[in-house]
Amino acid sequence: MNTLLRAKITALGSFVPPRVMTNADFEKIVETSDEWIVSRTGIRERHVVDKGVATSDLAVEAAKVALAERGIDANEIEAIVVATVTPDMLFPSTACLVQHKLGIKDAWGFDLSAACSAFVYALQTGAQFIATGVHRNVLVIGADVMSSILDYTDRSTCILFGDGAGAVLLEPSEDDFGIIDFQHEIDGSGACSLYMPGGGSLHPSTHETVNQKMHSVHQDGQSVFKFAVRKMAEICETLLARNNVKASQIDCFIPHQANQRIITATADRLGLKAESVIINIERYGNTTAGTIPLAMQTAREQGRLKKGDLVLLASVGAGFTVGATLLRWTI
Ligand SMILES: CC(C)(COP(=O)(O)OP(=O)(O)OC[C@H]1O[C@@H](n2cnc3c(N)ncnc32)[C@H](O)[C@@H]1OP(=O)(O)O)[C@@H](O)C(=O)NCCC(=O)NCCS
């Protein structure tokens, strides 16, 4: 058997649609307040698409930024993995639409569904193709248009989410830098805590499913919160212990951005350095598969993510899905 190669991130791009919805905008459409939203979630504003803009559009913009950073032609991409819970359509896959819009020839690809953990799952999936030597350039994108599946009369969910995308390019690493290890878990007993009941094979779209608002996010916020606070820390502890890494050695902690209180509780429990914790939820809300690459971009913009840094990614999402990745940053 060939020796496995290490994959590394060689470029990063992100994109959010220009239109911003602030907490004040929500005060006009549901019974809520800026004070409630900020104190319970940390969110101040989120970006939302205009009508007619879909997940593939955000994904393509983020991918273009990543390709430009690396300075390679789109045709060098051999595989595309799009992490999303809001594909443009149930089929064809958003990966096909992205491939076509970018004009990439001779690539293959697919969508990956793991809700808020989808980016870390897609990252690992792409890394496996690099590890086996099957591909040399894999594009991994996390993109979601959450505004397309929100019920804007349900104050407990609509204020939480935004639209956005991030893309990374994976290539083989020639040194010890790159993706080191990961730990993933799924737990379908949590399926009823966060889900979209309509539009799938169980409840195909009918007038009735539309009338019952089954095509939007349904969430038991407290049970998701409790699970997320426990599991995000647990999965990180397992991953760090297996790699003999102390939390204090992590230079940059980039968690999924669902709720500021989940992030700070996880960071406190792990004993992470305060300056290592990346939070940008105030600007974007929860962009589902987009959050981790968007937070990587925030970390870079703030000068808090540098080549050689030891980075911990962590996520919990609908499913439940749980994931953590340890890597040494390479750009
Ligand atoms: C959704 C969430 C912010 C709600 O916060 P919470 O502190 O748990 O609030 P509760 O659900 O207990 O609701 C408390 C009260 O606030 C009300 N409320 C809910 N949304 C509100 C809003 N936008 N504005 C004002 N009040 C609101 C509730 O109706 C409830 O009122 P009641 O006590 O009269 O019944 C929180 O549970 C959460 O973040 N959960 C995890 C979400 C998540 O991470 N999802 C994605 C996973 S990837």
Side-chain angles (χ1 to χ4, degrees), residues 32 36 40 116 155-156 219 221-222 224 256 258-259 261 316:
T32 191
W36 191 96
R40 299 291 178 117
C116 296
R155 66 177 182 175
S156 66
Q219 175 171 253
Q222 284 197 3
V224 176
H256 174 58
N259 187 313
R261 291 183 292 143
V316 172

Side-chain angles (χ1 to χ4, degrees), residues 1 10 27 49 53 64 79 87 117 176 194-195 222 225 230 238 262 275 281 296 308-309 325:
M1 197 177 121
T10 56
E27 286 175 352
V49 298
V53 176
K64 281 182 183 167
S117 300
D176 282 346
L194 180 52
Y195 65 121
Q222 284 197 3
F225 188 92
R230 179 169 62 84
T238 305
I262 296 173
E275 63 273 21
I281 193 170
M296 285 175 171
D309 278 355
T325 303

Side-chain angles (χ1 to χ4, degrees), residues 4 13 18 30 45 47 61-62 77 81 88 110 117 127 171 211-212 216-217 225-226 229 237 263-265 295 302 311:
L4 292 179
V30 287
E45 59 185 37
H47 291 248
E61 293 306 318
I77 301 299
V81 188
D88 288 27
F110 54 91
S117 300
E171 294 181 58
N211 291 342
Q212 291 177 3
S216 53
V217 173
F225 188 92
K226 282 181 198 150
V229 163
E237 279 165 352
I263 297 172
T264 50
Q302 295 176 348
V311 177

